[in-house]
């Protein structure tokens, strides 16, 4: 297992880290929860902070427990730092900045809850990641008080140097990569297709939620119609009220089922839509690294420059490419496993809830039927048709 | 571009309407759910007033925004008000039941049954098997000599004793089209106005949800109509009074000349004009209270069943949408499974189950149409019930008119005989102005009046008997109808529950299978 006290260079990190086949839950030494959203009002703005509670036995942490408050911007910062430091590792996506509907939505209860869950998942995924969880930025995020974090954020590469990096990245992406290894092309094709499929699933699921809600609306009017009729009948009143009662109970079950769908399946699918975008970005970054190396390599062959200095730079870039590729390869397998796990459990949970829903509705109608059959039987001679 | 004031007015209007609607449903819930007690009468009075105000609000609105609601909700408001008023009347008058049968003791009822009903054993259905076996398309020329396509239905009949004797003879059969059924029913309506005549299946498809075609040529519609026509014939043939009708027998057994024969009965001439019936409804003074109640009930039944059918169709439409969207899962899972190595099999089979789930809704909703048809039958029965009540009002009105005519004639005779003018009359005035008539003229008038009075008394006696017999016969048949309705609808509700159970079981099966597939992922 990885030991934080050893000297860390990118190369040695890769060599030392093993990507376990199965993350044993007893080897989990850090537990993070995100909860308790609170609204903060300042002169300039209003924003929400979340409580981040950490319990850990890891040695690089001074305490075993930390409680801090963080806002969405802080999470964004953390993600950015992680991606900068490990550009070809797959970082779990954050919930989106804002919903298209508008400003008011930010403070809507459902929105906050959805975001909170997603932030919780984000931090836990980072904590589960063998490399990312060792990041200093991550440690500071979890442990520093608000003012400490602000100070810490101000350190690090300045604005101008970041600009330079961005320009280089853009230049590289325009240049394009020449000899992409086959496996990464395969991964890219997969990501393209996966992105389409998961996007479709997301849309289908949202459509199901919408249709189900519309069904529920109509169903809510259906029951009262029977109740109303029962007011005009004598013999039939009981049965009509019974049917109305059954429909009302089915309404409740339907509401629960839609809620479950919205809480369980929709967020997961949405996350993986974002994941697909993350993957595309990671692949692009890897390509850029390779493109930079290739460009310098070409320069070596064509331009008349200081060959030694250039050679040294090229060696470093080559190392970088190798490290990036290995990191990605390792993380790719890991991502696929967790994707399968997440989606499988989400669909499984949905199927289970649906079975439960139908079983409950079945019980409702069977009870009604039973109550009908135990009543004294009607006269048996009938003149007319079945 | 709408101005701000327009928008805010629209917003205010929408909010008001939503509020009104909310209040309306709250009132309904209160009325029908709460157990009634006389102490709550003041509260209920407030409810009635409020409901009436809401109704007026809606009527005054007249805007398109509300109009579609108005159509469906207006009749419901009226139903609620009627129910409420009835409950209040009950509270004040605890002895009488809403649909009373107090005037008839049980033995009297039995006697009437024996008088007006032929023994059960001799209804037509006991002697003959009847079915509407098939439907076929035909082309022909219609009344304005244009080509048309229409559907004909095969009526098959077989005498029962032939079957029980061990033979299995081929049934006699003939073809009839829907319009001929309509003629038969109209004939029965006119000939037996005191009977609640079974309705025909609907002429045009109503309460359609999007999948069902509103087209009369659609095979599903034709099939359901075939079943409805068979149901009509079986009901008529098993009715103790209707089944003995010769025209009915002719309809079932002889294809040719039936139309001519039925027209020869002259039933169309006997039909009461709408205007006569309507004016009777408004002017009748002393109709049998039970019939008035029954008429109110028929209105309620009509509103309630039509509302129920409407909402049911919407629910079916939505449910259809939910199931069909799951079919998209099938497609996407299948495509996705091609990408994945480990998850592939699980996804693929899960996809198949999603397809099966989406497809299952078609059969389920088709079955539910049968339930809707049962409700529709009683929607149309409500109309027949109302017709019986209206006929009573007409006969009662004719009796009242004849009686009052008689009274006025007697009064005239008295005046003429004694020379006293009781009330102001034109005659009195002309007498004063131009002098009285001669004794001869007076004698002539008097004898004419005497004749008229004798005739009038006969008419009154006739009408009284007619009215009484009508009331007896109609009341018995309405009771029969009530029992039949309770039985049939009870069965329909049970059938509906069975359908829901079957639907739930299928859902459990599909999702359990899907769950297993997801496990394999």
């Amino acid at each position: 297992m990885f030991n934080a006290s050893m000297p860390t260079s990118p190369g040695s990190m890769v060599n030392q880290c093993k990507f376990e086949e199965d993350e044993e839950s007893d080897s989990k030494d850090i537990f993070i929860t995100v909860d308790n959203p609170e609204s903060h009002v300042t002169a300039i703005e209003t924003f929400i902070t979340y409580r981040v509670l950490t319990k850990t036995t890891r040695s690089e942490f001074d305490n075993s427990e930390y409680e801090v408050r963080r806002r969405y911007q802080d999470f964004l910062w953390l993600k950015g730092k992680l991606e900068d430091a490990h550009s070809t590792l797959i970082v779990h996506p954050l919930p989106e900045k804002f919903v298209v509907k508008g400003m008011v939505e930010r403070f809507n209860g459902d929105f906050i809850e959805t975001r909170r869950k997603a932030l919780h998942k984000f931090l836990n995924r980072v904590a589960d990641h063998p490399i990312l969880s060792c990041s200093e930025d991550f440690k500071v995020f979890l442990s520093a008080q608000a003012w400490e974090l602000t100070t810490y954020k101000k350190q690090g590469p300045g604005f101008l140097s970041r600009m330079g990096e961005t320009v280089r990245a853009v230049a590289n992406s325009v240049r394009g990569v020449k000899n992409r290894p086959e496996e990464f092309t395969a991964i890219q094709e997969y990501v393209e297709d996966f992105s389409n499929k998961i996007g479709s699933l997301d849309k289908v699921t949202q459509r199901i939620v919408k249709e189900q809600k519309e069904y529920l609306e109509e169903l809510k009017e259906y029951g009262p119609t029977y109740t109303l009729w029962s007011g005009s009948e004598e013999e039939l009143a009981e049965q009509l009220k019974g049917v109305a009662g059954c429909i009302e109970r089915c309404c409740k079950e339907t509401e629960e089922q839609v809620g479950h769908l919205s809480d369980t399946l929709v967020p997961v699918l949405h996350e993986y839509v974002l994941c697909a975008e993350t993957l595309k970005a990671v692949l692009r970054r890897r390509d850029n690294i390779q493109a930079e190396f290739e460009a310098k390599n070409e320069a070596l062959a064509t331009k008349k420059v200081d060959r030694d200095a250039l050679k040294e730079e090229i060696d470093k870039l080559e190392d970088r490419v190798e490290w990036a590729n290995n990191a990605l390869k390792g993380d790719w397998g890991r991502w696929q496993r967790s994707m399968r796990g997440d989606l499988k459990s989400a669909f499984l949970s949905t199927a289970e809830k649906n079975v439960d829903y139908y079983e409950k509705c079945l019980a409702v109608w069977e009870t009604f039927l039973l109550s009908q059959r135990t009543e004294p039987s009607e006269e048996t001679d009938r003149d007319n048709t079945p | 571009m709408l101005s701000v004031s327009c928008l805010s007015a629209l917003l205010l209007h929408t909010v008001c309407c939503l509020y009104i609607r909310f209040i309306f449903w709250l009132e309904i819930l209160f009325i029908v759910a709460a157990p009634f007690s006389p102490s709550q009468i003041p509260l209920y009075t407030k409810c009635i007033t409020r409901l009436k105000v809401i109704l007026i609000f809606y009527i005054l609105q007249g805007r398109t925004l509300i109009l579609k609601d108005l159509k469906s909700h207006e009749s419901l408001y009226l139903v609620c008000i009627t129910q409420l008023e009835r409950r209040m009347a009950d509270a004040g008058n605890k002895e009488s039941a809403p649909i009373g049968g107090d005037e008839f003791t049980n033995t009297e009822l039995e006697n009437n049954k024996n008088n007006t009903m032929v023994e059960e054993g001799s209804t037509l259905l006991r002697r003959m098997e009847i079915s509407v076996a098939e439907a076929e398309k035909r082309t022909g020329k219609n009344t304005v000599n244009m080509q048309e396509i229409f559907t004909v239905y095969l009526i098959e009949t077989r005498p029962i004793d032939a079957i029980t004797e061990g033979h299995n003879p081929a049934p006699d059969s003939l073809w009839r089209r829907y319009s001929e059924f309509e003629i038969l029913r109209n004939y029965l309506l006119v000939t037996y106005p005191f009977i609640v005549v079974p309705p025909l299946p609907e002429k045009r498809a109503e309460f359609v949800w999007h999948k069902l075609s509103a087209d009369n040529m659609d095979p599903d519609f034709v099939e359901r109509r075939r079943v409805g026509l068979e149901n009509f014939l079986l009901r008529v043939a098993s009715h103790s009074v209707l089944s003995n009708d010769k025209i009915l027998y002719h309809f079932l057994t002889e294809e040719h000349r039936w139309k001519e024969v039925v027209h020869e009965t002259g039933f169309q001439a006997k039909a009461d004009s709408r205007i006569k019936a309507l004016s009777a409804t408004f002017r009748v003074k002393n109709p049998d209270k039970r019939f008035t109640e029954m008429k109110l009930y028929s209105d309620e039944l009509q509103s309630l069943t039509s509302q129920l059918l409407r909402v049911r169709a919407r629910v079916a439409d939505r449910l259809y949408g939910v199931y069909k969207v799951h079919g998209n899962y099938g497609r996407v899972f299948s495509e996705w499974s091609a990408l994945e190595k480990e998850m592939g099999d699980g996804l693929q089979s899960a996809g198949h189950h999603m397809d099966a789930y989406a497809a299952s809704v078609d059969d389920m909703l088709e079955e539910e149409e049968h339930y809707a048809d049962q409700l529709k039958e009683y929607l149309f029965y409500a109309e027949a019930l109302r017709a019986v009540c209206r006929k009573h009002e007409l006969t009662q009105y004719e009796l009242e008119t004849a009686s009052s005519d008689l009274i006025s004639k007697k009064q005239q005779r008295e005046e003429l005989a004694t020379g006293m003018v009781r009330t102001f009359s034109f005659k009195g005035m002309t007498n004063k102005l131009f002098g009285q008539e001669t004794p001869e003229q007076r004698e002539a008038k008097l004898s004419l009046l005497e004749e008229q009075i004798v005739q009038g008394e006969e008419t009154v006696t006739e009408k009284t008997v007619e009215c009484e017999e009508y009331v007896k016969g109609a009341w018995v048949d309405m009771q029969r109808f009530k029992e039949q309705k309770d039985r049939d609808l009870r069965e329909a509700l049970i059938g509906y529950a069975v359908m829901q159970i079957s639907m739930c079981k299928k859902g459990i099966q599909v999702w359990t299978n899907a769950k297993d597939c997801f496990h394999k992922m």
Side-chain angles (χ1 to χ4, degrees), chain B residues 16 123 131 167 186 192 195 201 230 237 250 255 265 329 344 357 378 386 418 435 468 472 484 493:
Chain B
C16 279
T123 60
S131 71
H167 309 157
N186 287 336
Y192 305 93
I195 300 286
E230 185 175 282
H250 194 155
E255 187 153 8
T265 64
Y329 267 157
Y357 183 71
Y378 280 92
R386 187 185 311 127
T418 60
E468 274 174 15
K472 275 198 200 137
Q484 175 200 296
L493 290 173

Side-chain angles (χ1 to χ4, degrees), chain B residues 237-499:
Chain B
S238 59
H239 190 284
S240 47
V241 173
L242 298 176
S243 63
N244 294 316
D245 190 274
K246 302 257 178 342
I247 298 288
L248 171 70
Y249 190 79
H250 194 155
F251 180 87
L252 293 170
T253 51
E254 274 177 70
E255 187 153 8
H256 308 290
R257 287 215 71 230
W258 178 78
K259 268 205 187 145
E260 286 86 351
V261 173
V262 79
H263 283 310
E264 275 167 20
T265 64
F267 77 94
Q268 278 149 332
K270 292 190 211 151
D272 300 316
S273 82
R274 279 252 171 83
I275 298 177
K276 233 178 43 169
L278 210 59
S279 86
T281 306
F282 284 121
R283 290 153 143 204
V284 70
K285 297 205 183 78
N286 254 343
D288 188 318
K289 255 199 359 211
R290 302 171 300 171
F291 282 71
T292 317
E293 291 279 354
M294 200 52 109
K295 198 168 84 146
L296 264 171
Y297 171 75
S298 76
D299 287 336
E300 283 174 29
L301 187 64
Q302 193 170 42
S303 308
L304 293 164
T305 42
S306 88
Q307 172 73 354
L308 186 59
L309 284 163
R310 217 172 302 136
V311 180
R312 189 213 71 90
R314 289 205 302 259
V315 169
D317 196 29
R318 291 289 170 215
L319 192 64
Y320 183 78
V322 170
Y323 272 75
K324 284 302 176 190
V325 178
H326 280 83
N328 290 338
Y329 267 157
R331 182 179 49 85
V332 179
F333 278 170
S334 172
E335 289 168 7
W336 186 16
S337 71
L339 295 175
E340 301 290 337
K341 290 178 229 96
E342 294 186 20
M343 294 201 293
D345 289 335
L347 276 177
Q348 180 86 314
S349 26
H352 289 152
H353 291 300
M354 290 296 102
D355 284 333
Y357 183 71
S360 69
V361 76
D362 293 311
D363 285 340
M364 292 194 292
L365 287 179
E366 182 59 40
E367 230 190 295
E368 232 187 71
E369 279 312 304
H370 175 62
Y371 170 70
D373 283 342
Q374 288 174 301
L375 293 178
K376 273 183 213 172
E377 195 188 5
Y378 280 92
L379 170 65
F380 303 139
Y381 252 127
E383 178 98 46
L385 187 62
R386 187 185 311 127
V388 171
C389 297
R390 281 228 185 103
K391 181 69 182 178
H392 161 74
E393 284 171 349
L394 188 60
T395 50
Q396 175 74 10
Y397 177 66
E398 283 173 353
L399 172 61
E400 286 172 6
T401 318
S403 302
S404 69
D405 270 352
L406 182 64
I407 290 173
S408 95
K409 292 250 174 336
K410 284 189 176 164
Q411 230 176 43
Q412 282 180 24
R413 178 183 61 183
E414 202 187 309
E415 284 170 21
L416 219 51
T418 60
M420 263 173 36
V421 177
R422 284 261 180 97
T423 53
F424 176 80
S425 69
F426 191 61
K427 198 81 194 77
M429 222 179 66
T430 52
N431 282 345
K432 290 231 154 68
L433 289 171
F434 302 110
Q436 282 196 342
E437 49 213 346
T438 65
E440 291 84 20
Q441 283 176 323
R442 231 168 48 148
E443 278 308 314
K445 276 212 188 92
L446 220 66
S447 55
L448 183 65
L449 268 176
E450 289 290 351
E451 265 179 52
Q452 284 176 343
I453 286 172
V454 166
Q455 250 176 21
E457 274 172 349
E458 264 175 44
T459 313
V460 168
T461 318
E462 252 175 55
K463 291 278 175 193
T464 312
V465 167
E466 196 184 308
C467 208
E468 274 174 15
E469 279 189 6
Y470 184 87
V471 165
K472 275 198 200 137
W475 184 248
V476 164
D477 201 57
M478 291 201 293
Q479 292 301 97
R480 176 205 64 80
F481 166 74
K482 180 172 177 294
E483 280 168 23
Q484 175 200 296
K485 167 197 64 117
D486 287 340
R487 249 190 342 250
D488 287 350
L489 288 176
R490 183 145 183 272
E491 218 180 284
L493 290 173
I494 289 176
Y496 184 70
V498 168
M499 271 185 248

Side-chain angles (χ1 to χ4, degrees), chain A residues 199-213:
Chain A
S200 297
L201 282 178
D202 184 43
K203 285 202 201 94
V204 170
T205 310
Q206 290 197 13
R207 179 114 181 262
I208 288 179
V209 168
K210 174 169 168 281
E211 295 280 343
Q212 194 78 312
K213 280 188 178 157

Side-chain angles (χ1 to χ4, degrees), chain A residues 189-190 193-194 196-198 200-201 204-205 207-208 211-216 218-219 221-222 224-236 239-241 243 247 261 265 269 336 339-340 343-344 347-348 350-352 354-355 357-359 361-362 365-366 368-369 371-373 375-379 381-386, chain B residues 25 28 32 76 79-80 83 86-87 98-99 120 125-126 231 234-235 238 297 300-301 304-305 307-308 311-312 314-315 318-319 321-323 325-326 328-329 332-333 335-336 339-340 342-343 357 371 375 480 482-491 493-494 496-498 500-501 503-505 507-508 511-512 514-515 518-519 521:
Chain A
E189 278 170 14
Y190 173 87
D193 291 333
F194 177 81
N196 286 338
K197 296 303 155 244
I198 205 77
S200 297
L201 282 178
V204 170
T205 310
R207 179 114 181 262
I208 288 179
E211 295 280 343
Q212 194 78 312
K213 280 188 178 157
E214 283 175 351
Y215 168 66
L216 187 60
E218 297 295 347
L219 208 60
E221 290 206 15
Y222 190 39
T225 324
Y226 283 96
T227 312
L228 192 61
W229 189 1
S230 73
S232 296
E233 296 287 339
E234 298 159 359
E235 297 289 319
L236 281 176
Q239 285 94 342
L240 288 168
K241 278 195 212 145
V243 171
I247 294 174
L261 208 61
L265 190 55
L269 289 173
Q336 275 194 308
M339 179 271 286
R340 276 199 293 270
L343 290 175
K344 172 176 164 173
F347 279 115
L348 208 54
T350 306
E352 273 169 7
N354 283 350
V355 172
Y357 161 74
Y358 279 114
E359 278 176 350
C361 288
L362 180 68
W365 286 105
E366 278 185 336
F368 169 75
L369 211 60
S371 74
Q372 294 305 302
R373 297 240 161 103
E375 276 178 27
S377 55
E378 303 283 326
E379 64 262 33
D381 63 321
R382 296 171 186 215
D383 300 339
N384 28 22
T385 53
Chain B
W25 281 115
I28 300 295
V32 299
L76 288 186
V79 166
C80 283
Q83 281 184 11
R86 185 191 302 132
R87 282 206 215 185
I99 301 173
E120 298 254 342
L125 201 55
R126 301 279 161 158
N231 186 49
L234 292 172
R235 284 211 195 271
S238 59
Y297 171 75
E300 283 174 29
L301 187 64
L304 293 164
T305 42
Q307 172 73 354
L308 186 59
V311 180
R312 189 213 71 90
R314 289 205 302 259
V315 169
R318 291 289 170 215
L319 192 64
V322 170
Y323 272 75
V325 178
H326 280 83
N328 290 338
Y329 267 157
V332 179
F333 278 170
E335 289 168 7
W336 186 16
L339 295 175
E340 301 290 337
E342 294 186 20
M343 294 201 293
Y357 183 71
Y371 170 70
L375 293 178
R480 176 205 64 80
K482 180 172 177 294
E483 280 168 23
Q484 175 200 296
K485 167 197 64 117
D486 287 340
R487 249 190 342 250
D488 287 350
L489 288 176
R490 183 145 183 272
E491 218 180 284
L493 290 173
I494 289 176
Y496 184 70
V498 168
Q500 296 303 305
I501 286 173
M503 195 172 91
C504 289
K505 284 192 176 152
I508 291 173
W511 284 103
T512 310
K515 196 174 83 170
F518 289 136
H519 261 301
M521 264 165 73

Side-chain angles (χ1 to χ4, degrees), chain A residues 79 83 87 89-94 191 271-285 335:
Chain A
K79 177 159 192 262
E83 281 177 340
S87 55
L89 288 183
I90 304 168
V91 180
H92 199 74
L94 275 178
V191 169
E271 252 171 59
Y272 277 92
V273 169
L274 296 174
C275 265
E277 294 307 307
T278 306
L279 286 170
K280 286 182 191 165
V282 165
L283 286 169
R284 266 199 306 274
R285 286 199 288 266
W335 179 87

